[in-house]
Amino acid sequence: MNYLLRNGRVVDPAQGIDQMGDLRIRNGRIAEIAPTLTPEAGERVVDCTDCWIAPGLVDLHVHLRDLRQSYKETLQTGGAAAVAGGFTSICCMPNTDPPLDSPLLVRELIARATRESPCKVYVVAALTQGMRGEQLCDYAALKQAGAVGCSDDAFPVQSAEVLRRAMLGCAAYGLPVITHCEDKTLSEGASMHAGAISAQLGLRGAPGSAETVHIARNALLAHETGCHLHIQHLSTAFGVALVRFFKTQGVRITAEVTPHHLLLTEHACASFNTNAKMNPPLRSEADQHALTEGILDGTIDCIATDHAPHAPFEKAQPLALAPFGLVGLETALGAVLLWNDQLPQPLSPIQIVNLLSTAPARLLNLPAGTLAIGVPADVVVIDPTARWQVNPAMLHSKSKNTPFAGMELMGKARYTFVNGELRFEAG
Ligand SMILES: [Zn+2]
Ligand SMILES: [Zn+2]
C-alpha cells in the first residue's frame, strides 16, 4: 500500500525542514515532499491537518523482558507499545533473561525481533559477562553480531579498573559505552531519592551522589580511553553540571534524560505509589529544573524512556520491596509535549523531534531520524495538541505500571509507519 500524507507540518531536523506540505510513501520509502502533491491511483490519502509529519521516534533505552520474563513484556507487546507511542526504532537493553552477553544471543534476538516486533529493534549488548562487572565480553564479536553499543545498565560496573578495560575494548571496535551511573555503596537499599519526602515516609533514599560519583569517574575514564561514553537517564543537577563540564574538556560524552524525570519529582512517591519507584529515582525540584536547563543549553543530547515493564503483582508489594521501573513508550510523547508547553519559551517542533528522533539515531548511528527522499519510510504523524488522559488499561504494553495514570498529557501519535507499512493508527 502507498500513502499520501496530506496537509501536515513536515518536520525533519536532519534536513532542517519545517514546512506545511504533503509527504508521499511509495514502495515502503519516502518518495516525495512538496507543498502540494496530487493523489495517485491506489494510494491511501491520510489527512494530517494540524499534525506534524515527522521521522519515527527513536528510543535508545527499552527493556523488553525477553525471554523468560515474557509475563512482563514480549518483543511483540513491547513493539506494539512502541508504535502506539510513535516510536519506529528502539534499543533493547541487555538485561533480558538470558542476558545479551554473547554474539549468538544478540543475533537470535535481532532475528526474532525482526519477525515478531512491529517496530525496528536494535540491541545494546552487555558490557560484562552476565552483567556481573567482572569478565569482559567479546566486543569484536558483539559488534559483528549487530550490537550498537554496550551497557550493564542497572548492574553498573563497580570496579573502575574493569570499566577502564571495557572502555578500551569498546573503543577499539567503535562501540559506545552506555552507563547507568550508580555507586551501589551509596544507594544500597534505597527505594527513592534521599530527601525531605524519604525522611517523611521513613524510607531509605539514594543520594544524588550515588549518580554523580559515577558520572565523574566514568567521564574521567572515557577521557583516558577515548571511548564514546553515553550517560543514561541523567537525574541530578550536579550530574548535568558534570556532563556540561566534561563536554567543554573534549570528552566524547553524551547524555539522555527520561520524560518522567522532566515532568515529575520525588513528590510522586509521597503516597507510597510503587509506580513512581524507579532507578534513578525521581529527584527534587532543583534537579528537575537543572534537567530542563540541560536540554535547553544542549548539555543533554536526547530523550529516552527507560521503558521497564513489571507485572501488577510485583508492583502491588510495599514500596520498599517493589521493583524499580515504569512503562514509558506510550506516554513519552504526551509527557514531553506537556513539559514543553509549560516552558516559558517552548522548544520548536524541530527541536522536539530532534530530541526524540534525529539526535538519538545519530548518537548510536542508527539508520533512522530523517525523512530524506529514498530512505525506508519510518514516519509518525503527531497531533501535538491532543489532550488525553492516561488509562493504564488502554496501554498496548503487557504491563501497566505508569506513574502517569489518570494524568492529562498533551500530544499523541496518530499514525505510525515502519518501512512504509501502517503499524499503528489511533482509534
Ligand atoms: Zn538504568
Ligand atoms: Zn534501564
Side-chain angles (χ1 to χ4, degrees):
M1 174 75 91
N2 295 332
Y3 296 89
L4 179 60
L5 312 188
R6 284 190 102 177
N7 198 30
R9 180 170 180 172
V10 182
V11 179
D12 181 10
Q15 302 182 87
I17 295 176
D18 183 358
Q19 64 180 53
M20 299 306 296
D22 301 351
L23 180 147
R24 171 167 283 135
I25 297 173
R26 189 192 289 133
N27 300 329
R29 293 179 180 269
I30 312 249
E32 277 180 282
I33 296 173
T36 325
L37 292 169
T38 313
E40 291 176 350
E43 211 170 47
R44 176 173 165 191
V45 175
V46 176
D47 179 23
C48 299
T49 306
D50 298 328
C51 289
W52 302 349
I53 301 171
L57 307 185
V58 176
D59 192 350
L60 300 185
H61 194 155
V62 175
H63 296 278
L64 287 174
R65 304 307 187 205
D66 186 77
L67 187 61
R68 288 183 209 132
Q69 293 188 329
S70 56
Y71 66 95
K72 297 178 196 246
E73 194 78 287
T74 65
L75 300 180
Q76 198 282 321
T77 59
V83 293
F87 291 91
T88 53
S89 293
I90 60 177
C91 291
C92 175
M93 281 295 134
N95 67 331
T96 50
D97 187 4
L100 304 173
D101 60 0
S102 77
L104 182 73
L105 290 168
V106 169
R107 274 202 192 89
E108 203 180 87
L109 189 127
I110 293 172
R112 278 194 301 110
T114 306
R115 291 195 299 271
E116 296 167 24
S117 170
C119 73
K120 295 178 181 173
V121 177
Y122 296 92
V123 166
V124 171
L127 192 58
T128 63
Q129 288 180 34
M131 298 176 298
R132 285 187 296 271
E134 294 161 2
Q135 306 292 323
L136 304 189
C137 293
D138 183 346
Y139 304 119
L142 290 174
K143 168 99 178 184
Q144 215 182 12
V148 295
C150 288
S151 176
D152 281 353
D153 192 8
F155 309 93
V157 178
Q158 298 296 298
S159 158
E161 190 272 334
V162 171
L163 183 62
R164 191 174 188 281
R165 280 191 287 121
M167 283 180 166
L168 285 169
C170 285
Y173 299 102
L175 282 167
V177 173
I178 301 170
T179 62
H180 165 130
C181 292
E182 181 184 3
D183 183 320
K184 296 275 188 185
T185 63
L186 291 168
S187 60
E188 186 76 54
S191 303
M192 57 179 299
H193 173 60
I197 309 289
S198 66
Q200 218 174 73
L201 302 183
L203 286 166
R204 195 184 289 247
S209 55
E211 172 172 283
T212 50
V213 162
H214 260 210
I215 292 177
R217 180 198 74 165
N218 297 2
L220 291 166
L221 294 173
H223 177 57
E224 277 184 359
T225 58
C227 81
H228 170 194
L229 171 66
H230 178 66
I231 306 287
Q232 296 180 296
H233 42 46
L234 202 52
S235 72
T236 59
F238 267 120
V240 176
L242 284 169
V243 172
R244 189 178 289 128
F245 167 74
F246 282 108
K247 280 189 167 179
T248 68
Q249 301 304 301
V251 177
R252 289 176 70 197
I253 186 170
T254 51
E256 71 192 28
V257 66
T258 70
H260 48 276
H261 285 105
L262 288 175
L263 203 56
L264 304 175
T265 66
E266 56 185 334
H267 289 273
C269 301
S271 57
F272 291 96
N273 180 2
T274 58
N275 288 329
K277 178 178 178 179
M278 66 262 319
N279 190 8
L282 297 170
R283 305 254 186 210
S284 69
E285 273 160 32
D287 291 312
Q288 185 191 23
H289 289 146
L291 294 171
T292 294
E293 283 304 311
I295 286 197
L296 298 182
D297 75 3
T299 299
I300 295 174
D301 301 87
C302 69
I303 294 170
T305 70
D306 196 5
H307 179 84
H310 291 293
F313 75 88
E314 296 171 311
K315 282 290 194 180
Q317 300 174 92
L319 193 67
L321 300 176
F324 294 105
L326 69 155
V327 288
L329 285 166
E330 294 170 80
T331 50
L333 190 55
V336 168
L337 289 173
L338 177 62
W339 161 82
N340 189 48
D341 190 55
Q342 293 167 354
L343 295 179
Q345 288 215 305
L347 298 174
S348 67
I350 222 164
Q351 288 171 306
I352 293 290
V353 173
N354 185 49
L355 286 166
L356 285 163
S357 175
T358 309
R362 277 194 185 140
L363 209 146
L364 290 190
N365 280 317
L366 309 181
T370 179
L371 299 174
I373 304 300
V375 305
D378 295 347
V379 181
V380 61
V381 176
I382 296 168
D383 180 344
T385 56
R387 296 267 180 181
W388 59 286
Q389 201 180 31
V390 179
N391 175 1
M394 299 296 283
L395 298 178
H396 294 74
S397 171
K398 209 166 190 177
S399 292
K400 314 296 175 193
N401 50 308
T402 171
F404 297 116
M407 238 179 107
E408 192 183 72
L409 301 182
M410 182 178 163
K412 213 174 190 324
R414 287 274 171 247
Y415 303 89
T416 306
F417 299 87
V418 178
N419 286 333
E421 286 178 26
L422 184 59
R423 295 284 170 86
F424 172 76
E425 181 171 358

